[in-house]
Amino acid sequence: MACKHIITIGRQFGSGGREIGEALAEKLGIKCYDKELISLAAKESGIDPEVFNNVDEKATNSLLYSLSMGLYSFGNNFTTGQLPVNDRLYLLQHKIVKRLASEGPCIIVGRCADFVLKDRDDVVNVYICADKDYRVKRAIENKGISESKAEQVVSKTDKSRANYYNFYSGRKWGLTENYDLCINRTKLSCEQVVNAIAGYIEAIE
């Protein structure tokens, strides 16, 4: 099927959001951007990708101060040199997400993309969640860590993503009203979730 929409995917840690995004992109014949956004931001800024990787989807408390002081705007000429690296990455990704959306249908995982693209009418916002036991099991399998460690990673990463989303968007992460489609994939395979999202998109197109 030919996709006419930009799809954003918010996801709980361990729910398989990236896997689902990549599989959906392949099915729809469009590109999926997740960690690629870090590489693009690093390329545009000249900053080591590893520096950005360490603060990806993590908020600071400095951006509101920077906004109030008028240190930059969201336009093409904003100044980021005085900002902490977290805020610099957010602003760069904000700019890149908008540019990618303007280039045509694609999938963007995380990075407040639903908020960044809120003024567009061709965006489908999806949220993927799963039961905690399911997500802990995936963390154990994918990272080769103990159950207690996996529980800590799941909780800590979810908290970090929530803080990031809540801070930069002013919305509440995981709140159903922020999304067009919310899926608990605990009992579903990746393929089933992909088919559900593709079916929704086909229905509205």
Side-chain angles (χ1 to χ4, degrees), residues 41-89:
K43 184 177 180 180
E44 291 199 12
S45 66
I47 294 175
D48 187 337
E50 192 60 31
V51 173
F52 279 157
N53 190 59
N54 290 334
V55 299
D56 187 36
E57 293 193 282
K58 296 176 183 176
T60 67
N61 292 320
S62 60
L63 186 60
L64 292 180
Y65 173 77
S66 302
L67 282 168
S68 67
M69 295 301 290
L71 295 180
Y72 67 88
S73 71
F74 282 118
N76 292 329
N77 298 315
F78 60 70
T79 300
T80 61
Q82 294 173 276
L83 295 174
V85 66
N86 306 61
D87 296 339
R88 294 170 72 180
L89 177 58

Side-chain angles (χ1 to χ4, degrees), residues 18-168:
R18 179 172 62 183
E19 174 192 16
I20 289 166
E22 291 173 348
L24 180 62
E26 183 175 354
K27 182 179 181 69
L28 299 179
I30 59 179
K31 291 184 178 180
C32 177
Y33 298 95
D34 183 5
K35 292 296 185 182
E36 294 82 359
L37 293 171
I38 297 176
S39 299
L40 291 171
K43 184 177 180 180
E44 291 199 12
S45 66
I47 294 175
D48 187 337
E50 192 60 31
V51 173
F52 279 157
N53 190 59
N54 290 334
V55 299
D56 187 36
E57 293 193 282
K58 296 176 183 176
T60 67
N61 292 320
S62 60
L63 186 60
L64 292 180
Y65 173 77
S66 302
L67 282 168
S68 67
M69 295 301 290
L71 295 180
Y72 67 88
S73 71
F74 282 118
N76 292 329
N77 298 315
F78 60 70
T79 300
T80 61
Q82 294 173 276
L83 295 174
V85 66
N86 306 61
D87 296 339
R88 294 170 72 180
L89 177 58
Y90 172 77
L91 290 173
L92 284 164
Q93 289 184 334
H94 184 284
K95 180 182 176 183
I96 290 167
V97 165
K98 283 198 166 185
R99 185 178 74 229
L100 293 174
S102 71
E103 294 172 354
C106 62
I107 296 170
I108 300 173
V109 180
R111 283 80 183 182
C112 297
D114 60 301
F115 171 72
V116 173
L117 302 176
K118 66 183 186 303
D119 295 326
R120 296 182 64 102
D121 58 9
D122 59 348
V123 177
V124 173
N125 299 312
V126 178
Y127 185 75
I128 307 295
C129 62
D131 295 352
K132 188 171 182 179
D133 287 347
Y134 173 90
R135 297 187 291 123
V136 168
K137 182 179 179 181
R138 277 179 57 94
I140 294 171
E141 294 173 349
N142 294 338
K143 294 183 175 293
I145 55 180
S146 66
E147 182 176 353
S148 60
K149 180 64 175 178
E151 289 177 350
Q152 292 175 14
V153 170
V154 167
S155 297
K156 183 177 180 179
T157 307
D158 276 353
K159 184 176 180 180
S160 179
R161 287 180 179 176
N163 289 340
Y164 172 88
Y165 183 89
N166 297 350
F167 179 70
Y168 287 118

